[in-house]
Amino acid sequence: MLHIHLEEHSYDILIKRGAFQEVGTWVQQLWNKQRIAVITDSNVAPLYGEHIIEALSAAGFEATLLAVPAGENSKSLEQAAFLYDRLAQSGMTRSDGIIALGGGVIGDLAGFVASTYMRGIDFLQIPTTLLAQVDSSIGGKTAVNTSSAKNLVGTFAQPVGVMIDPDLLKSLSLKRVQEGIAEIIKSAAIADPELWQTLAGLKDEVDLLAHAEKVITASLKVKQKVVEEDPFDHGSRLTLNFGHTIGHGLERTAAFDTSHGEGVAMGMIMITRHAEAIGLTPKGTTAQLTKMIEKFHLPTKPREIEKEQLYQAITHDKKARGQQLKIILLEGIGQAKIVTIPTEEIKDYLL
C-alpha cells in the first residue's frame, strides 16, 4: 500500500495480486451506499465488466456499466458529452461516484468526466494496463484530446483511491506490456538507480511481469515523491516528462499509430543523444538507455521523420510555453534536470 499525501486530498494506492476479486469490499471501505457508474471501454467490458457490476451490487451499490469504443479517439469532448448525458439519465448526483476501469485513455476520460460533471464528483481508478498502473492512474491529471493537441483540455483532480492488481495484466498483448515498460524505464532513468539495476537483472517482458508488484511499487514511488512535492506540475514534477515532449509529437504526427510507450522510448533516446553530443548529458548515457530499451523490444528511432511537422506538433503541445521550452535531460542514470531552451532549439534534438 502506498499513501499519496497532499494538502487538500490524500489517498491510498492498493498494490496487490488478486485485489480485483475483492473489489466490492474495497469500494465499501471508501464509499457509502450510492450509485456508481463504471466507465470502461469495449475491450475491457467483456473481460471484467460483469464481475465488477456483480461485486458492487452484492456490496449494496447501484452500479451501471458505461462502455466507450476502445482507443485514443475516445479521449474526446464528444465522448465526454455522451457520458455526461448517460450519467444524467441514470440519476447520478454529486453524492454518487465513478469508477474508471481500463487503461490510460479510460482513466483520463473518466477522471475528466468525474471532475467536471456537476462541478466534480468522486472517482476511483482501477487501471487494467501496465502503463496506467505505473503512471497515469495516480497524480490527478485528467484530460481529453482535441484536433490541435493531445491532453489539451483537462483538470487536476485526485481520485479517492487506486487499486492496482497485476493479475489484470494477464489479458494484455505483449505490445501493451511494452508500453508500460517504457514508463518504468523512464522512472528509473530520472530518479531510481536501484530500479534501473532491477530492470537490468530481468530477462524480458515476461520476467518483468513475474516481478510486477516489486517493479510497479518502485516506479510508483518515483511518481509519488514528485506528485507530493509538486501536485500542479509547475516544478519538479516536470521531470516525469522525460521523453514525452518529443514522444507526444511523434504520437501526433503518426496519428496515434505510434503508441504512447513507443513515443516515450524514442523521445528519451532522441533527446539524450543530442544532449550527450553537446555535453549536457554524460558520455555513454545514450548507450545505456538504448540497451535497456532494446532489451524490452521498444523502438529507439522512428521509421521516418518529417522534422518540420514534428516540430509543429511539439510546439502545439501544452508543454511549450511561448518562445521557451522546458526539456528534461539526464545528469546520469537515476538523476534528471530541467533545462529551459529557446523553442526553436528543439529542432536540433529531432535529427
Side-chain angles (χ1 to χ4, degrees):
M1 183 86 75
L2 287 182
H3 181 71
I4 305 291
H5 179 71
L6 301 170
E7 220 169 275
E8 293 182 4
H9 182 99
S10 298
Y11 56 96
D12 290 325
I13 306 170
L14 175 64
I15 308 162
K16 182 184 173 187
R17 285 193 185 277
F20 188 63
Q21 297 308 309
E22 307 296 328
V23 64
T25 305
W26 177 68
V27 177
Q28 271 182 327
Q29 292 165 359
L30 297 169
W31 282 344
N32 297 322
K33 302 291 190 294
Q34 60 186 43
R35 289 188 183 90
I36 296 176
V38 178
I39 297 178
T40 189
D41 69 26
S42 54
N43 286 343
V44 177
L47 295 171
Y48 307 121
E50 186 178 349
H51 170 75
I52 193 169
I53 296 301
E54 286 180 357
L56 291 172
S57 299
F61 296 98
E62 187 183 324
T64 308
L65 192 71
L66 301 177
V68 300
E72 188 79 24
N73 289 335
S74 281
K75 219 171 96 170
S76 66
L77 289 166
E78 290 76 18
Q79 285 298 337
F82 161 76
L83 290 169
Y84 295 140
D85 288 342
R86 292 296 302 275
L87 295 175
Q89 288 163 14
S90 62
M92 294 280 286
T93 69
R94 290 192 71 181
S95 59
D96 297 319
I98 285 172
I99 295 178
L101 176 68
V105 167
I106 289 299
D108 277 6
L109 174 64
F112 177 75
V113 167
S115 69
T116 49
Y117 180 74
M118 293 190 168
R119 297 188 178 90
I121 64 175
D122 286 346
F123 69 104
L124 303 172
Q125 290 273 14
I126 305 179
T128 60
T129 65
L130 184 58
L131 178 60
Q133 289 188 355
V134 299
D135 184 46
S136 57
S137 64
I138 73 160
K141 283 186 178 183
T142 81
V144 292
N145 305 325
T146 71
S147 57
S148 297
K150 184 178 166 75
N151 297 333
L152 191 66
V153 179
T155 63
F156 282 95
Q158 303 292 342
V160 173
V162 182
M163 173 190 282
I164 292 175
D165 182 352
D167 283 350
L168 297 180
L169 305 177
K170 291 174 181 174
S171 60
L172 293 185
S173 68
L174 196 60
K175 184 170 181 176
R176 296 302 300 279
V177 172
Q178 289 161 351
E179 270 203 82
I181 293 174
E183 289 287 352
I184 296 170
I185 292 171
K186 176 209 76 177
S187 295
I190 63 169
D192 192 342
E194 192 176 319
L195 174 57
W196 185 271
Q197 289 307 314
T198 298
L199 295 175
L202 298 173
K203 292 197 293 290
D204 53 19
E205 299 89 334
V206 176
D207 197 15
L208 184 141
L209 286 179
H211 296 84
E213 279 176 290
K214 178 183 178 181
V215 171
I216 290 169
T217 301
S219 191
L220 285 177
K221 281 181 177 176
V222 171
K223 186 159 189 178
Q224 174 193 18
K225 183 174 184 292
V226 292
V227 166
E228 288 177 345
E229 284 175 2
D230 180 23
F232 297 109
D233 207 7
H234 296 308
S236 62
R237 186 166 173 173
L238 291 172
T239 57
L240 295 173
N241 293 332
F242 176 51
H244 286 59
T245 302
I246 294 176
H248 279 175
L250 290 168
E251 282 183 78
R252 294 296 302 173
T253 53
F256 303 124
D257 286 344
T258 295
S259 74
H260 177 74
E262 290 170 337
V264 169
M266 292 185 283
M268 288 190 291
I269 295 288
M270 291 166 75
I271 209 141
T272 304
R273 181 185 292 121
H274 184 67
E276 187 175 321
I278 60 175
L280 292 178
T281 291
K283 294 288 183 190
T285 308
T286 310
Q288 288 177 274
L289 205 50
T290 302
K291 183 180 177 183
M292 186 69 81
I293 285 169
E294 286 178 340
K295 177 163 80 165
F296 292 106
H297 306 101
L298 284 155
T300 56
K301 60 183 177 181
R303 285 187 294 276
E304 56 184 56
I305 187 168
E306 173 44 62
K307 189 173 159 183
E308 190 55 39
Q309 189 184 12
L310 181 54
Y311 173 72
Q312 292 301 324
I314 288 168
T315 53
H316 274 85
D317 191 272
K318 64 186 185 323
K319 295 176 186 64
R321 296 179 182 178
Q323 300 306 304
Q324 292 189 316
L325 188 63
K326 283 186 165 67
I327 59 171
I328 313 307
L329 305 178
L330 296 181
E331 294 192 281
I333 297 299
Q335 192 172 3
K337 60 184 174 183
I338 301 167
V339 176
T340 303
I341 61 170
T343 301
E344 182 82 12
E345 207 172 284
I346 194 66
K347 287 183 177 179
D348 297 333
Y349 289 81
L350 305 184
L351 297 174

